[in-house]
Each structure stands twice: as structure tokens, then as C-alpha cells.
Amino acid sequence: GENVEQHPSTLSVQEGDSAVIKCTYSDSASNYFPWYKQELGKRPQLIIDIRSNVGEKKDQRIAVTLNKTAKHFSLHITETQPEDSAVYFCAAIPRGYSSASKIIFGSGTRLSIRP
Amino acid sequence: DTGVSQDPRHKITKRGQNVTFRCDPISEHNRLYWYRQTLGQGPEFLTYFQNEAQLEKSRLLSDRFSAERPKGSFSTLEIQRTEQGDSAMYLCASSLEGSTGGAFFGQGTRLTVV
């Protein structure tokens, strides 16, 4: 069935280092992949997304890459800062964004930035 | 506030009671989603509307759960005969079909069943 797997479940990096979170999806028709950041007690917030017609997208210190052949996509955070500490969720829309479809979320990665 | 709003923010109810939550999406958004989130887990899909049509409902959702979006604007989620296992954060999100943006979440309603 439709599934998004995410790893690692927890990640601790030194401030200033890079963090990478990886996801795989099952529905090859998926064509839209958002990433959400959720701070403790707050709502998930969309931080970046990528569509299947591009392989990489960057916004300041965060970037996402997509490998449609392997059905993998990743979030990269460079020069990590304490405020990057949060839970990050990847997501995918099976059957494609132009179709009416739900959003499937990964199980989350708790990122901790060590000072 | 032009974001997604949910009401109430917190609800404590006794087991067996019915509860109803409301979600007001971003005004021009025609897609509306309901999710449930428990501690340490990702949002779990419950149901989804495009305009007033409920297009999909999770197979994991029992018949005690029902959602409506009668005029294609706000939505309500009702849980009948609540159980302790229903305790969770209930999140609503909205998006605009065909836009380049994603779905945006409300603050959620935290339900505690005692």
C-alpha cells in the first residue's frame, strides 16, 4: 500500500555540522514531496518541498534532493543551529499532486543540535 | 489571522461522551485534511475533502468518527462514544488544488479522554 519510510528516527549533530534525513516512498506516481518541521507543542510547519520534475531544490541552509528512479528523497541542513532542533517529517502525495489525494507522512526524525 | 484555525484547542471528556471539533481552513483553500497525531508519531491520515466532497476516509477509522464539510468551507470532526485510545492531537490542514504550495496545518485540538 501507500507508504513513506523515514530514517533515522533520532539524529544528534554538533552545531555547525550538517544533518541529513532520508525517506523512501512506495507509490511511483507520487510527484510532490513536502517536508515539515514540528517544534515541541506546535503545529507542523512546511519548510520546503520538491516536485518530481526537479532533482534538487535549495533554500538558504536547507536543501532537498529527489531520486525518482530509486524512490528516495532527502533533506539536508547545513551549518546547523540550535533553532534547528525539532522533529522533521517527510511526506508524499500518492497518485500525484494534481489528483485529489491525501498526504502520507513519514514517522519523523527528532533532530538535536549539540552546542 | 489568515491561517488554519481549529477550535477548541483543548478538550477533556469522559469516556463514552461525544465530541465535535471545528476547523476553518485558509479561505481560498478547497482541500481540507484531518489528521491524528500521538506523541512521537507522524500525523496519521483520517479523512480528506475537496470542496464539500469527502473523497477518502482512512480504513483504520472506526464508524465512531465522522466528518463533514457542508458548504466547502469549515469542517467538523465528530467522535462518538469516545474511548481512551482516542486521546491524541487532532490536526486539520488545508491546501489549494493546483497551487505550488503545500498543505498548511492548524494548531490542533488536543483531546484527552478520561
Side-chain angles (χ1 to χ4, degrees):
Chain A
E2 302 147 344
N3 191 41
V4 175
E5 294 190 356
Q6 181 172 351
H7 59 94
S9 57
T10 60
L11 179 60
S12 178
V13 301
Q14 192 74 34
E15 183 177 351
D17 288 349
S18 297
V20 180
I21 301 169
K22 298 181 179 181
C23 291
T24 60
Y25 59 97
S26 59
D27 187 339
S28 58
S30 300
N31 67 358
Y32 176 68
F33 307 91
W35 285 87
Y36 288 82
K37 175 183 180 182
Q38 188 173 29
E39 297 175 356
L40 189 63
K42 296 190 177 180
R43 74 183 86 186
Q45 290 199 305
L46 179 68
I47 56 172
I48 195 168
D49 55 15
I50 190 168
R51 295 183 185 276
S52 59
N53 57 346
V54 298
E56 183 174 358
K57 182 178 178 180
K58 190 173 182 180
D59 182 3
Q60 299 183 342
R61 294 187 297 107
I62 59 174
V64 290
T65 59
L66 172 65
N67 182 330
K68 283 210 72 179
T69 302
K71 294 190 284 187
H72 289 175
F73 58 114
S74 300
L75 177 72
H76 304 251
I77 307 175
T78 59
E79 301 172 14
T80 53
Q81 300 172 3
E83 55 265 33
D84 295 331
S85 294
V87 179
Y88 291 81
F89 295 100
C90 62
I93 297 185
R95 302 196 299 277
Y97 193 69
S98 60
S99 305
S101 183
K102 61 197 174 193
I103 305 170
I104 303 295
F105 285 83
S107 55
T109 297
R110 181 173 299 279
L111 175 62
S112 301
I113 307 301
R114 303 190 304 271
Chain B
D1 185 358
T2 57
V4 179
S5 64
Q6 293 186 244
D7 183 71
R9 293 288 305 279
H10 304 273
K11 178 70 176 179
I12 300 174
T13 191
K14 291 184 178 179
R15 189 173 50 186
Q17 298 294 304
N18 299 344
V19 293
T20 300
F21 310 142
R22 177 179 170 125
C23 172
D24 287 89
I26 294 172
S27 59
E28 64 268 25
H29 284 186
N30 63 338
R31 291 180 172 175
L32 187 147
Y33 313 80
W34 284 100
Y35 285 85
R36 177 171 60 191
Q37 188 177 30
T38 53
L39 195 63
Q41 300 297 316
E44 176 192 16
F45 172 76
L46 296 179
T47 191
Y48 159 60
F49 291 85
Q50 179 151 304
N51 302 311
E52 66 275 7
Q54 186 174 18
L55 296 186
E56 191 167 352
K57 184 176 177 180
S58 170
R59 286 168 290 184
L60 301 176
L61 210 58
S62 80
D63 291 341
R64 297 184 297 106
F65 287 72
S66 62
E68 294 182 344
R69 194 183 182 199
K71 296 181 180 179
S73 56
F74 74 92
S75 176
T76 57
L77 177 68
E78 181 183 19
I79 308 174
Q80 296 182 324
R81 305 181 303 281
T82 52
E83 302 172 356
Q84 285 190 321
D86 297 332
S87 295
M89 176 71 83
Y90 289 83
L91 292 164
C92 176
S94 71
S95 69
L96 178 63
E97 179 186 8
S99 76
T100 55
F104 297 89
F105 281 88
Q107 295 275 33
T109 294
R110 181 167 295 284
L111 173 66
T112 302
V113 181
V114 297

